[in-house]
Amino acid sequence: MKTKGKKKKESKKDQSLKEYISLIFHEHKGRYGYRKIHAVLNNQYQLPVSEKVVRRLMRELGLKCQSRMKRKQPVKVKKATSVKADYFFPKIAGLKFPRRTFH
């Protein structure tokens, strides 16, 4: 990623945050994204950091969480329903037809 202007020196705060982020990330086997890491930093370590900072530092470290696999939806097949003849043909349903024999 190209940036315009001078590169800023990494502050000590960013260095310590990177250590915490990589520790949390690898502790949870790469399943935590920036939102959960942000929550862990705020709740467990009492480090007030914004999500944007966590996301930027994770990008600099090259850490990406594993995305969940989407399940394939089964194809819904309509079952053939038995339709009563008198529903469609009410006049014909009551009639009796003579049998024909073929020679």
Short mmCIF file of all heavy atoms in Angstrom, two decimals, residues 19-30 32 36-37 40-41 45:
data_model
loop_
_atom_site.label_atom_id
_atom_site.label_comp_id
_atom_site.label_asym_id
_atom_site.label_seq_id
_atom_site.Cartn_x
_atom_site.Cartn_y
_atom_site.Cartn_z
N GLU A 19 1.68 -6.08 20.29
CA GLU A 19 2.00 -7.29 21.06
C GLU A 19 0.73 -7.90 21.64
O GLU A 19 0.53 -9.11 21.57
CB GLU A 19 3.00 -6.96 22.17
CG GLU A 19 4.38 -6.63 21.67
CD GLU A 19 5.32 -6.19 22.78
OE1 GLU A 19 4.99 -6.41 23.97
OE2 GLU A 19 6.38 -5.64 22.46
N TYR A 20 -0.11 -7.04 22.23
CA TYR A 20 -1.37 -7.54 22.78
C TYR A 20 -2.26 -8.15 21.70
O TYR A 20 -2.85 -9.21 21.89
CB TYR A 20 -2.15 -6.41 23.48
CG TYR A 20 -1.67 -6.08 24.87
CD1 TYR A 20 -1.11 -4.84 25.16
CD2 TYR A 20 -1.79 -7.00 25.90
CE1 TYR A 20 -0.68 -4.52 26.43
CE2 TYR A 20 -1.37 -6.69 27.18
CZ TYR A 20 -0.82 -5.45 27.44
OH TYR A 20 -0.40 -5.15 28.72
N ILE A 21 -2.36 -7.46 20.57
CA ILE A 21 -3.22 -7.93 19.48
C ILE A 21 -2.75 -9.28 18.95
O ILE A 21 -3.54 -10.21 18.78
CB ILE A 21 -3.28 -6.87 18.36
CG1 ILE A 21 -4.09 -5.67 18.83
CG2 ILE A 21 -3.88 -7.46 17.09
CD1 ILE A 21 -4.03 -4.48 17.89
N SER A 22 -1.45 -9.40 18.71
CA SER A 22 -0.95 -10.68 18.19
C SER A 22 -1.09 -11.79 19.24
O SER A 22 -1.39 -12.94 18.89
CB SER A 22 0.50 -10.56 17.73
OG SER A 22 1.33 -10.22 18.82
N LEU A 23 -0.94 -11.45 20.52
CA LEU A 23 -1.12 -12.43 21.58
C LEU A 23 -2.56 -12.94 21.60
O LEU A 23 -2.79 -14.16 21.61
CB LEU A 23 -0.77 -11.80 22.94
CG LEU A 23 -1.00 -12.67 24.16
CD1 LEU A 23 0.16 -13.63 24.32
CD2 LEU A 23 -1.17 -11.82 25.39
N ILE A 24 -3.52 -12.02 21.58
CA ILE A 24 -4.93 -12.41 21.60
C ILE A 24 -5.29 -13.19 20.34
O ILE A 24 -5.99 -14.20 20.39
CB ILE A 24 -5.83 -11.15 21.74
CG1 ILE A 24 -5.59 -10.48 23.08
CG2 ILE A 24 -7.30 -11.51 21.57
CD1 ILE A 24 -6.16 -9.09 23.18
N PHE A 25 -4.81 -12.72 19.19
CA PHE A 25 -5.11 -13.36 17.91
C PHE A 25 -4.65 -14.82 17.89
O PHE A 25 -5.40 -15.72 17.53
CB PHE A 25 -4.46 -12.57 16.77
CG PHE A 25 -4.79 -13.08 15.40
CD1 PHE A 25 -5.98 -12.73 14.80
CD2 PHE A 25 -3.90 -13.88 14.72
CE1 PHE A 25 -6.29 -13.18 13.52
CE2 PHE A 25 -4.19 -14.34 13.45
CZ PHE A 25 -5.39 -13.98 12.85
N HIS A 26 -3.40 -15.05 18.31
CA HIS A 26 -2.85 -16.41 18.28
C HIS A 26 -3.38 -17.27 19.42
O HIS A 26 -3.44 -18.49 19.31
CB HIS A 26 -1.33 -16.37 18.28
CG HIS A 26 -0.77 -15.76 17.03
ND1 HIS A 26 -0.97 -16.31 15.79
CD2 HIS A 26 -0.06 -14.62 16.83
CE1 HIS A 26 -0.38 -15.57 14.86
NE2 HIS A 26 0.18 -14.52 15.48
N GLU A 27 -3.78 -16.63 20.51
CA GLU A 27 -4.36 -17.37 21.64
C GLU A 27 -5.69 -18.01 21.22
O GLU A 27 -6.03 -19.11 21.66
CB GLU A 27 -4.59 -16.40 22.80
CG GLU A 27 -5.14 -17.03 24.05
CD GLU A 27 -5.33 -15.99 25.16
OE1 GLU A 27 -4.45 -15.10 25.28
OE2 GLU A 27 -6.35 -16.08 25.85
N HIS A 28 -6.42 -17.32 20.36
CA HIS A 28 -7.71 -17.83 19.90
C HIS A 28 -7.63 -18.45 18.51
O HIS A 28 -8.63 -18.55 17.80
CB HIS A 28 -8.75 -16.71 19.92
CG HIS A 28 -9.04 -16.23 21.31
ND1 HIS A 28 -9.85 -16.92 22.17
CD2 HIS A 28 -8.58 -15.15 21.99
CE1 HIS A 28 -9.91 -16.27 23.32
NE2 HIS A 28 -9.14 -15.20 23.25
N LYS A 29 -6.45 -18.86 18.11
CA LYS A 29 -6.18 -19.62 16.88
C LYS A 29 -6.67 -18.90 15.62
O LYS A 29 -7.17 -19.53 14.69
CB LYS A 29 -6.83 -21.00 16.97
CG LYS A 29 -6.30 -21.82 18.13
CD LYS A 29 -7.01 -23.13 18.25
CE LYS A 29 -6.52 -23.84 19.51
NZ LYS A 29 -7.30 -25.04 19.78
N GLY A 30 -6.53 -17.59 15.62
CA GLY A 30 -6.86 -16.82 14.42
C GLY A 30 -8.33 -16.68 14.13
O GLY A 30 -8.71 -16.34 13.02
N TYR A 32 -10.43 -14.69 15.98
CA TYR A 32 -10.94 -13.39 16.43
C TYR A 32 -10.59 -12.31 15.41
O TYR A 32 -9.45 -12.18 14.99
CB TYR A 32 -10.34 -13.00 17.79
CG TYR A 32 -11.08 -13.57 18.98
CD1 TYR A 32 -11.91 -14.67 18.87
CD2 TYR A 32 -10.92 -13.00 20.23
CE1 TYR A 32 -12.58 -15.17 19.96
CE2 TYR A 32 -11.58 -13.50 21.33
CZ TYR A 32 -12.41 -14.59 21.19
OH TYR A 32 -13.08 -15.09 22.28
N LYS A 36 -13.78 -8.42 17.98
CA LYS A 36 -13.64 -9.20 19.22
C LYS A 36 -12.34 -8.84 19.93
O LYS A 36 -12.31 -8.79 21.16
CB LYS A 36 -13.67 -10.70 18.91
CG LYS A 36 -15.06 -11.23 18.73
CD LYS A 36 -15.05 -12.73 18.73
CE LYS A 36 -16.44 -13.28 18.63
NZ LYS A 36 -16.47 -14.74 18.66
N ILE A 37 -11.29 -8.61 19.18
CA ILE A 37 -10.01 -8.22 19.80
C ILE A 37 -10.18 -6.88 20.50
O ILE A 37 -9.67 -6.67 21.61
CB ILE A 37 -8.87 -8.20 18.77
CG1 ILE A 37 -8.55 -9.63 18.34
CG2 ILE A 37 -7.64 -7.51 19.32
CD1 ILE A 37 -7.51 -9.75 17.27
N VAL A 40 -11.93 -7.55 23.76
CA VAL A 40 -11.04 -8.18 24.74
C VAL A 40 -10.09 -7.14 25.32
O VAL A 40 -9.84 -7.11 26.54
CB VAL A 40 -10.26 -9.35 24.11
CG1 VAL A 40 -9.17 -9.85 25.04
CG2 VAL A 40 -11.21 -10.48 23.76
N LEU A 41 -9.56 -6.27 24.49
CA LEU A 41 -8.64 -5.23 24.96
C LEU A 41 -9.35 -4.29 25.95
O LEU A 41 -8.77 -3.90 26.96
CB LEU A 41 -8.08 -4.42 23.79
CG LEU A 41 -7.03 -5.10 22.92
CD1 LEU A 41 -6.73 -4.26 21.69
CD2 LEU A 41 -5.76 -5.36 23.71
N TYR A 45 -8.14 -6.32 29.41
CA TYR A 45 -6.88 -5.61 29.64
C TYR A 45 -7.08 -4.14 30.01
O TYR A 45 -6.11 -3.43 30.25
CB TYR A 45 -5.99 -5.71 28.39
CG TYR A 45 -5.56 -7.13 28.09
CD1 TYR A 45 -6.19 -7.88 27.09
CD2 TYR A 45 -4.53 -7.73 28.79
CE1 TYR A 45 -5.81 -9.18 26.81
CE2 TYR A 45 -4.13 -9.03 28.52
CZ TYR A 45 -4.77 -9.75 27.53
OH TYR A 45 -4.38 -11.03 27.25
#
